[in-house]
Amino acid sequence: MKTFNYHSTKDVKEATKLASSSSAFLAGGMTTLPSMKLGLASYKDIIDIKRIKKLSGIKASGKSVTIGSTTKHVEVANSKEVKKAIPSLAALAEGIGDPQVRNRGTIGGSIANNDPSADYPSACIALNATIHTNNRKISADKFFTGMFETSLKKGELIEAIEFQIPEKSCYQKYPNPASRYAIVGVYVAKHKSDVNVAVTGAKSCVYNEKSIASALLKNFSSSSLDNVKISSSGMNSDIHASADYRANMVKIFAKKAVDAC
Amino acid sequence: MKKVSLEVNGKKVSKEVPDHTVLSVFLREVLNLTGTHVGCDTSQCGACVVHVDGKSIKSCTALAADIEGSKVTTIEGLVSNGKMHPMQEAFKKQHGLQCGFCTPGMVMSAIDLLNHKKNPSDKEIRDWLEGNICRCTGYQNIVAAVKEAASKM
């Protein structure tokens, strides 16, 4: 790993002031540190945001659950508030990586990285999340812009993610047996007036599978998906699964999710 | 350079290290605590698992500077009065190791499991050890060792 200057900050202003074109914020470091070790990324300054108290914690209201960006996966998985308001979100957190990754990895880090196979981006899309940064609010459908790309500007810091509490929801994934990243993951959420079917792992970026969502909006049952056809166009194809296989899995895992809602 | 002050296995240590020093390097190369192993060095294999403030983490993927002020326990810190920890005893008795390279991480991870759950099922043990890879594939006896330790801890 190339050397850098490590800064530990205690407030958001100080953190964003230190940010430059050659800096990165460090939360759990579960992706940042391995990427730096492998030479895929290098920075002049690493700005550790874990000691900024206001960035960590979980708050639930009647309509939404707001999770601070440095809240760890283990905290979301074990949170009484999350389990009560959106049990599928706690279950998603419990399925990320392994216990040691869940003890360090954070929700803000996961969505800022926007790995095409990560779990949390699908929760943001399915649960109509709003991403609160240090200077604006971004709706999830405008946040994830491409493979490892988001609409965050350089030096912009995620403070919290606000999830809308659905009527019912479920996340089902086919995990890669080695990494537990999703080969295909489908997060189905039924809200009062809409249904979202967020798919991760299948394409270069998380997306809302509208054909399944509109079928479920008419009739929220897995049988309503029998005649829905998912095209393999734009689907990932790699040593783990072909594009056709992934297209098929999207429908199968959507059905599983609906049945488990 | 950064001054890093930690408590490692009950002893206070304070060392000046380059900013990019990860905890596994700090333990092995600065403190000469080579019981913590480094396998993949990219947080997949779990050979480097240690406890930081009572929770298991992969020490290859945490900066020493970022652990500042914490209490760290490594495999060397498990022995008390010359006696092995019940988890170490159980790994020995159940032949829960072949080459032994993954063992420090397995032991540290398994102790964290038992701190959460007193009597885990086989499935819970296997799920928990998700992040620990044994290249000799000795998982059967590792699970047996964790079960044995659970009955004694």
Side-chain angles (χ1 to χ4, degrees):
Chain A
M1 181 160 43
K2 283 188 184 161
T3 195
F4 49 78
N5 298 310
Y6 172 86
H7 311 268
S8 181
T9 57
K10 289 207 167 120
D11 70 80
V12 171
K13 268 196 184 155
E14 192 191 341
T16 51
K17 219 174 155 184
L18 282 165
S20 71
S21 57
S22 56
S23 71
F25 294 122
L26 181 75
M30 294 295 98
T31 300
T32 304
L33 292 174
S35 306
M36 289 166 76
K37 283 183 171 185
L38 294 167
L40 299 170
S42 67
Y43 305 100
K44 209 172 128 220
D45 295 286
I46 286 288
I47 306 158
D48 193 341
I49 57 167
K50 276 191 295 300
R51 290 175 202 245
I52 304 176
K53 283 201 178 114
K54 72 176 255 197
L55 297 184
S56 177
I58 297 167
K59 275 182 229 139
S61 72
K63 286 183 182 163
S64 66
V65 173
T66 303
I67 303 180
S69 59
T70 64
T71 309
K72 297 180 178 82
H73 307 326
V74 67
E75 292 162 344
V76 176
N78 293 337
S79 157
K80 278 184 193 147
E81 289 102 324
V82 179
K83 280 185 183 172
K84 192 171 164 226
I86 318 177
S88 60
L89 187 60
L92 174 147
E94 180 66 32
I96 297 173
D98 56 52
Q100 288 75 37
V101 167
R102 295 195 288 273
N103 278 341
R104 293 285 288 172
T106 68
I107 186 168
S110 169
I111 70 164
N113 187 48
N114 192 19
D115 188 297
S117 303
D119 297 300
Y120 268 131
S122 71
C124 294
I125 296 286
L127 302 170
N128 294 326
T130 304
I131 288 91
H132 296 246
T133 78
N134 58 315
N135 55 30
R136 60 181 170 145
K137 293 177 185 179
I138 311 168
S139 67
D141 58 350
K142 298 202 167 61
F143 183 82
F144 302 103
T145 53
M147 188 162 69
F148 296 109
E149 296 285 337
T150 68
S151 55
L152 284 173
K153 298 205 165 71
K154 197 72 206 171
E156 190 172 12
L157 182 63
I158 303 172
E159 295 193 343
I161 299 98
E162 184 180 0
F163 296 97
Q164 188 184 324
I165 299 173
E167 285 179 358
K168 46 186 173 179
S169 63
C170 180
Y171 176 64
Q172 291 283 328
K173 76 166 162 177
Y174 177 22
N176 178 312
S179 69
R180 294 299 177 216
Y181 269 99
I183 290 176
V184 165
V186 183
Y187 204 134
V188 173
K190 184 179 184 301
H191 297 275
K192 206 172 169 191
S193 55
D194 65 339
V195 172
N196 292 324
V197 179
V199 178
T200 188
K203 292 190 176 178
S204 60
C205 183
V206 65
Y207 71 102
N208 200 351
E209 181 52 68
K210 297 274 167 63
S211 61
I212 296 179
S214 61
L216 292 176
L217 189 60
K218 282 181 210 137
N219 174 14
F220 196 83
S221 74
S222 58
S223 61
S224 72
L225 306 183
D226 287 342
N227 298 320
V228 175
K229 287 217 160 47
I230 305 294
S231 158
S232 62
S233 152
M235 295 260 172
N236 299 333
S237 191
D238 53 33
I239 56 164
H240 306 297
S242 68
D244 285 341
Y245 185 81
R246 278 194 167 87
N248 192 32
M249 287 299 126
V250 167
K251 186 160 143 178
I252 287 174
F253 278 78
K255 283 186 160 197
K256 272 192 173 190
V258 172
D259 286 337
C261 264
Chain B
M1 298 290 277
K2 276 273 170 310
K3 192 175 172 192
V4 176
S5 304
L6 299 171
E7 192 179 309
V8 180
N9 299 332
K11 269 195 213 153
K12 291 212 160 101
V13 295
S14 193
K15 301 276 178 189
E16 189 109 344
V17 293
D19 292 28
H20 67 288
T21 307
V22 290
L23 182 58
S24 54
V25 169
F26 186 84
L27 294 170
R28 290 177 55 86
E29 294 175 22
V30 181
L31 302 181
N32 292 324
L33 292 171
T34 52
T36 298
H37 290 173
V38 176
C40 69
D41 208 18
T42 47
S43 66
Q44 326 266 324
C45 80
C48 69
V49 170
V50 300
H51 294 182
V52 171
D53 295 329
K55 287 181 183 142
S56 59
I57 71 157
K58 292 181 176 173
S59 62
C60 75
T61 310
L63 296 172
D66 154 1
I67 305 294
E68 167 72 26
S70 298
K71 287 184 180 170
V72 178
T73 307
T74 69
I75 191 86
E76 289 94 342
L78 295 182
V79 173
S80 86
N81 298 325
K83 269 191 78 182
M84 279 194 276
H85 186 279
M87 187 65 76
Q88 292 172 302
E89 283 282 3
F91 267 71
K92 185 179 170 215
K93 196 172 157 205
Q94 295 292 339
H95 305 286
L97 61 146
Q98 288 179 45
C99 84
F101 194 86
C102 70
T103 314
M106 288 281 179
V107 168
M108 297 311 286
S109 186
I111 291 171
D112 193 18
L113 166 64
L114 297 190
N115 288 342
H116 284 85
K117 190 138 197 144
K118 292 229 169 327
N119 286 300
S121 66
D122 281 22
K123 186 179 182 303
E124 284 167 330
I125 294 169
R126 287 175 187 276
D127 283 350
W128 185 271
L129 294 177
E130 176 67 48
N132 295 83
I133 298 171
C134 166
R135 63 186 176 185
C136 310
T137 68
Y139 296 108
Q140 208 68 26
N141 290 354
I142 288 168
V143 174
V146 178
K147 287 201 98 159
E148 157 126 4
S151 69
K152 302 210 164 132
M153 274 170 72

